[in-house]
Amino acid sequence: MEKNHDIVLFDGVCNLCNGAILFLIKRDKNDRFRFAPLESEVGKKLLLKHQIDPSKIDSIVLVSDNTAFAKATAALNISRHLGGLWPLLYSLIIIPNFITDAVYDFIARNRYRWFGKKESCMIPTPELQSKFL
């Protein structure tokens, strides 16, 4: 029986996002996550399935057990499953969404200016290929 994986959708041309995905892969000790750019066919299908308007989302999306989470809620839910002390970040879930999403949106709005942008989506190395859909 094949293991069900949580899927992390991300902005494939964002340098910050690509760095975050590599960070997650290194700390995904239980091989829980699979990744796909928001711009990919898989990403587009999952956004449509979960009724998320791609023109209104430029953030990370976590699809777990047929539920989609976006922005800070996605990031905090991802942190629960990482190695090390990262699961402690999940305790921030008690902060109201309007506050955590405001911080998230501020970073998201400035990510290209602060971290740059690629011309195309990241191409995973052969070692990481199995992590991407």
Side-chain angles (χ1 to χ4, degrees):
M1 185 167 124
E2 186 171 318
K3 176 181 177 180
N4 284 335
H5 295 280
D6 289 353
I7 301 169
V8 177
L9 302 176
F10 65 100
D11 179 347
V13 297
C14 167
N15 287 334
L16 173 63
C17 304
N18 283 293
I21 296 308
L22 295 174
F23 175 90
L24 294 177
I25 289 170
K26 287 180 185 174
R27 287 153 185 85
D28 182 18
K29 303 300 181 199
N30 295 316
D31 194 36
R32 181 183 188 97
F33 299 108
R34 292 296 176 265
F35 305 92
L38 288 163
E39 306 86 354
S40 69
E41 286 306 311
V42 169
K44 290 175 186 174
K45 286 179 184 174
L46 285 169
L47 292 175
L48 182 64
K49 177 181 177 184
H50 293 282
Q51 300 175 353
I52 298 171
D53 183 348
S55 70
K56 293 184 179 165
I57 192 93
D58 63 351
S59 71
I60 195 167
V61 174
L62 171 66
V63 179
S64 177
D65 295 327
N66 263 339
T67 303
F69 304 94
K71 300 184 180 187
T73 305
L76 293 172
N77 274 287
I78 290 167
S79 75
R80 290 177 21 184
H81 304 290
L82 300 179
L85 297 176
W86 295 106
L88 294 175
L89 285 177
Y90 184 71
S91 64
L92 298 175
I93 202 81
I94 65 169
I95 299 172
N97 278 357
F98 76 91
I99 295 171
T100 56
D101 281 348
V103 172
Y104 187 97
D105 287 339
F106 176 74
I107 295 167
R109 268 193 314 276
N110 292 290
R111 69 188 187 277
Y112 294 147
R113 188 172 357 148
W114 295 341
F115 300 97
K117 179 178 177 177
K118 298 180 183 309
E119 291 297 315
S120 62
C121 291
M122 171 178 75
I123 310 243
T125 62
E127 306 84 58
L128 297 180
Q129 188 65 47
S130 67
K131 297 272 190 186
F132 289 82
L133 304 175

